[in-house]
Amino acid sequence: MAKGLLVTYVLWAIGGPVGLHHLYLGRDSHALLWMLTLGGGGLGWLWEFWNLPNFVAQANRTQGQKQSSREGIPPLSPIRFVAQMIVGIYFGLVALISFSSMANFYIVGLPLAVGLGVLLVAAVGNQTSDFKNTLGAAFLTSPVFYGRPIAILPISLAASITAQKHRRYKPSVESETLSVRLYRLGLAYLAFMGPLAYSTLCNTAATFSYVAETLGSFLSWFSFFPLLGHLMESVLLLPYRIWWLLVGDPGINSHYFQEQEKFYEFVHSFPDEKHQLAYQTARSKEGVLASLELCTLGRDTGQ
């Protein structure tokens, strides 16, 4: 059955942030991505307004094709590459919050989560990528930064580059019933949100600690560019500030907001702590050098 543009716009307006219009068009990977990111933070959902006619035409064209696959290599898309990076980092942060206490997390759990995030974006629309090579790049990169939350960034970069290198068009497959598609999407959504919800509710303080440590490490990469670092800090802390302005007095949930305040202060003061540590290290080196000079002077006097 051909897809209608008007119906697509209505579904986009009603349930766009959760991918309802993508589910209607048969773009299950895109629908799952929107479900897990709430429409790409809302920005991706709004940006799609002008692309819905192309999505509808692509869905109708796919329904009319009976060939096994489309030949050639899809064009390189910088937007898709950046989206793969961002979603890979996002999946890595969720895994860090949910499974960081797991044995061998930085060898197995973290690269698997980041790689799956990159592959999810790579499978949006009529494109896909090589599953083994993308995950292989993630697993090979993870031991280099073992035990460091900042490992999310290079793992996502390596997996995104590999996914772009092995991009290809999806082969056409037989259409599935809506119930089967909803069942698959529901399982994927629960697998993502279940551990995150449990960890957030049961370990609020640990959750903020992990996120603060990761964001602090991420911001340290911009220490050579202070303006860019302050910009990234403002963007990352914007949801916290908006929430604080809307809520105002925390009232009975003061303990919860105290944890948020600690989280904000930790990230905000991370560059200052880094400079203080460097200053203390320099002072220690000066003390050691002074002691060595006194020892040398004493030996010379004794002679």
Side-chain angles (χ1 to χ4, degrees), residues 1-2 56-67 172-173:
M1 181 177 179
V56 173
Q58 186 180 104
N60 291 329
R61 187 165 54 248
T62 301
Q63 284 187 344
Q65 289 178 347
K66 300 299 182 181
Q67 291 85 3
S172 56
V173 295

Side-chain angles (χ1 to χ4, degrees), residues 49-269:
F49 180 83
W50 293 272
N51 289 326
L52 290 182
N54 293 332
F55 292 162
V56 173
Q58 186 180 104
N60 291 329
R61 187 165 54 248
T62 301
Q63 284 187 344
Q65 289 178 347
K66 300 299 182 181
Q67 291 85 3
S68 59
S69 64
R70 182 176 175 180
E71 297 181 354
I73 299 177
L76 183 64
S77 174
I79 296 178
R80 186 183 291 263
F81 176 78
V82 173
Q84 287 174 347
M85 283 282 300
I86 295 175
V87 175
I89 293 173
Y90 171 60
F91 272 51
L93 287 173
V94 172
L96 188 68
I97 294 172
S98 306
F99 303 109
S100 58
S101 60
M102 182 182 69
N104 299 322
F105 166 75
Y106 286 96
I107 296 296
V108 179
L110 185 61
L112 179 62
V114 175
L116 290 177
V118 172
L119 284 170
L120 179 59
V121 180
V124 166
N126 61 348
Q127 298 184 26
T128 186
S129 186
D130 188 86
F131 184 85
K132 294 182 179 178
N133 286 322
T134 303
L135 286 184
F139 277 99
L140 289 176
T141 308
S142 61
V144 180
F145 301 89
Y146 180 81
R148 302 176 184 177
I150 196 61
I152 297 173
L153 185 60
I155 293 175
S156 181
L157 177 61
S160 299
I161 293 175
T162 305
Q164 285 290 311
K165 182 179 179 181
H166 295 88
R167 65 190 185 280
R168 63 174 184 268
Y169 288 108
K170 289 180 181 177
S172 56
V173 295
E174 295 294 331
S175 60
E176 298 176 327
T177 61
L178 181 60
S179 59
V180 173
R181 294 166 54 203
L182 290 176
Y183 177 74
R184 185 185 298 113
L185 288 175
L187 288 180
Y189 184 80
L190 288 176
F192 182 90
M193 297 301 299
L196 177 62
Y198 175 81
S199 177
T200 303
L201 292 175
C202 298
N203 304 290
T204 303
T207 298
F208 282 116
S209 176
Y210 288 133
V211 175
E213 181 182 358
T214 303
L215 291 181
S217 301
F218 180 74
L219 290 175
S220 68
W221 280 54
F222 298 94
S223 59
F224 295 103
F225 305 96
L227 181 60
L228 184 58
H230 288 304
L231 178 62
M232 291 298 299
E233 179 182 340
S234 300
V235 172
L236 292 172
L237 294 177
L238 182 60
Y240 165 81
R241 291 168 176 169
I242 294 176
W243 178 261
W244 186 261
L245 289 174
L246 293 175
V247 174
D249 185 12
I252 59 175
N253 295 323
S254 59
H255 177 71
Y256 174 77
F257 284 97
Q258 286 174 2
E259 296 294 340
Q260 283 194 325
E261 183 66 25
K262 293 178 182 178
F263 161 70
Y264 172 78
E265 292 177 355
F266 176 87
V267 177
H268 187 71
S269 62

